[in-house]
Amino acid sequence: VRLVKGRGGMERNEAEAARCFRRAAEMGHLDAAYALGVMLLKGEGVKKNEPLAFRWLEMVATKGDARAMYNLSLMYQYGLGVDMDFALAKRWMEGAALKGHVKALRSGKVTAFGVGPWMDYDPVRQGVDQIRKDAEAGNVNAQYRMGAMYYEGECVEQDKAQASYWFMQAAQAGLSEAQYQISRMLFLGDGVEKDEGYAFRFLQMAAERGHPESMHNLGVKLYFG
């Protein structure tokens, strides 16, 4: 820690600090394992290695460390060193919150789909056909709702290709939540052909419109690469 922060008259030396953390981590020291995981994630003092960072942070998280749980949640949420998995992201975020982690408490639950006026479209109350009719007429909220329904298999047979179609319609019409969702699907190749360049364009569009998750994701992509 002194080598990382340059305390006690010692010059800051991240590389040597990483070596110290690694030795201690390999002997089972949890704080050292956490510190090493963060350094590997950020590429500080060591070559950035997200999968290895994930392994160290997962080991610490399973021991009940709230900091590691929080970071693990973010890694699952944004696909850093591991495949995106919203269910696991939610589980680790809630675990960190239960242990009093301040950022986890502020974050609330991790959800795949945001809340907005599209939620006024209820397939049980209004029927799928009416929502589809409005979507085909160009209503962006109906288009987004159709995308979410097809993605989750809500009152329709699950069809991610159809989900991507309706998200794309709303995204091209300027709905930031749809731009965020289609960017996520394009980044992952989830129901569509993977295209990171196209995904990044939609992520930027959503961020420019003030979409909070997109602004955060864009920052993560720009910082971590």
Side-chain angles (χ1 to χ4, degrees), residues 97-159:
L98 287 171
K99 286 183 171 290
H101 190 281
V102 175
K103 289 183 179 179
L105 287 166
R106 289 174 180 168
S107 75
K109 65 179 182 178
V110 178
T111 57
F113 297 99
V115 176
W118 47 86
M119 296 304 293
D120 290 339
Y121 282 99
D122 183 348
V124 175
R125 180 167 53 85
Q126 294 161 295
V128 174
D129 289 343
Q130 181 60 53
I131 300 173
R132 189 190 307 277
K133 182 178 179 181
D134 287 359
E136 290 172 346
N139 184 302
V140 294
N141 291 317
Q143 290 169 346
Y144 181 86
R145 192 71 176 96
M146 286 297 297
M149 287 160 56
Y150 272 115
Y151 190 92
E152 295 189 315
E154 180 187 359
C155 296
V156 294
E157 185 176 348
Q158 186 179 48
D159 186 334

Side-chain angles (χ1 to χ4, degrees), residues 34-111:
Y34 171 76
L36 178 61
V38 171
M39 295 182 82
L40 286 163
L41 183 61
K42 295 181 177 181
E44 295 179 346
V46 291
K47 184 178 180 181
K48 185 167 73 170
N49 187 327
E50 292 174 356
L52 187 56
F54 176 83
R55 283 170 53 193
W56 283 112
L57 290 171
E58 183 183 41
M59 185 269 284
V60 181
T62 57
K63 300 292 185 182
D65 186 289
R67 302 165 301 170
M69 289 178 173
Y70 176 76
N71 279 281
L72 208 62
S73 172
L74 295 181
M75 294 182 80
Y76 272 118
Q77 192 172 352
Y78 303 115
L80 300 175
V82 67
D83 290 339
M84 280 189 184
D85 189 321
F86 282 100
L88 286 173
K90 178 181 178 182
R91 189 184 108 189
W92 286 113
M93 187 66 74
E94 290 178 346
L98 287 171
K99 286 183 171 290
H101 190 281
V102 175
K103 289 183 179 179
L105 287 166
R106 289 174 180 168
S107 75
K109 65 179 182 178
V110 178
T111 57

Side-chain angles (χ1 to χ4, degrees), residues 4-26:
V4 173
K5 297 184 177 180
R7 292 178 176 174
M10 302 181 73
E11 292 185 7
R12 182 184 176 94
N13 188 330
E14 292 179 347
E16 184 58 32
R19 283 192 287 272
C20 291
F21 286 143
R22 186 182 298 277
R23 288 195 294 269
E26 289 172 349

